[in-house]
């Protein structure tokens, strides 16, 4: 069985997918673009602003599912330019400070809406 997770505190899906799915003791959060759900626009033009918004979106989706970032076990970071890694990582470290999840960070040719970053996550459910 799977449960669809949806909150208005994160951007609505722009295609045939869910913000997150809860199944088998885990929550699978779709890749989050840096879209501010209040405005529908990117949170800013820098990798720092965009990383902060993508992670805030994940945090809000997890809250809707009844959990938080402490339960995240895996994060996938897709970046437009790996030269921005240090700036992305500095903001990331504000969200994950102890017992950090496993992570992959890769450079990609292009992201939806020409974002600088997209971040997805998997969290376990107690």
């Amino acid at each position: 069985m799977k449960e669809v997770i949806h909150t208005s505190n994160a951007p609505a899906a722009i295609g045939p997918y869910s913000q997150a799915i809860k199944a088998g003791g885990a929550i699978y959060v779709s890749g989050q673009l840096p879209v501010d759900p209040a405005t529908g626009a990117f949170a800013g033009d820098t990798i720092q602003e965009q990383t902060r918004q993508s992670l805030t979106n994940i945090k809000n989706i997890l809250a809707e599912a009844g959990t938080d970032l402490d339960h995240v076990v895996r994060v996938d970071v897709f970046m437009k330019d790996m030269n921005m890694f240090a700036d992305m990582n500095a903001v990331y470290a504000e969200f994950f400070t102890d017992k950090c999840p496993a992570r992959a960070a890769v450079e990609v040719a292009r992201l939806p809406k020409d974002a600088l970053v997209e971040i997805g996550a998997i969290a376990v459910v107690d």
Side-chain angles (χ1 to χ4, degrees):
M1 299 297 266
K2 66 181 182 180
E3 176 186 347
V4 173
I5 307 298
H6 176 78
T7 178
S8 59
N9 293 323
I14 58 173
Y17 62 91
S18 300
Q19 289 175 330
I21 294 291
K22 187 180 208 179
I27 300 167
Y28 302 89
V29 181
S30 293
Q32 293 300 300
L33 292 173
V35 174
D36 180 336
T39 66
F42 283 160
D45 295 327
T46 69
I47 190 70
Q48 295 96 329
E49 292 167 311
Q50 291 194 14
T51 299
R52 185 168 285 107
Q53 186 64 55
S54 290
L55 289 169
T56 297
N57 291 342
I58 290 170
K59 181 179 174 182
N60 291 341
I61 291 167
L62 291 173
E64 181 69 23
T67 193
D68 57 33
L69 292 173
D70 289 338
H71 291 83
V72 173
V73 295
R74 169 79 183 194
V75 175
D76 292 310
V77 180
F78 304 96
M79 298 173 43
K80 181 178 180 176
D81 184 350
M82 195 55 78
N83 290 316
M84 299 176 180
F85 180 84
D87 291 332
M88 176 281 298
N89 205 47
V91 174
Y92 182 95
E94 296 171 13
F95 286 79
F96 297 104
T97 58
D98 186 44
K99 297 182 183 177
C100 297
R103 181 179 81 181
V106 297
E107 179 178 300
V108 296
R110 191 170 180 202
L111 290 165
K113 298 186 175 189
D114 292 319
L116 299 178
V117 67
E118 179 176 357
I119 305 173
I122 300 172
V124 294
V125 181
D126 290 337

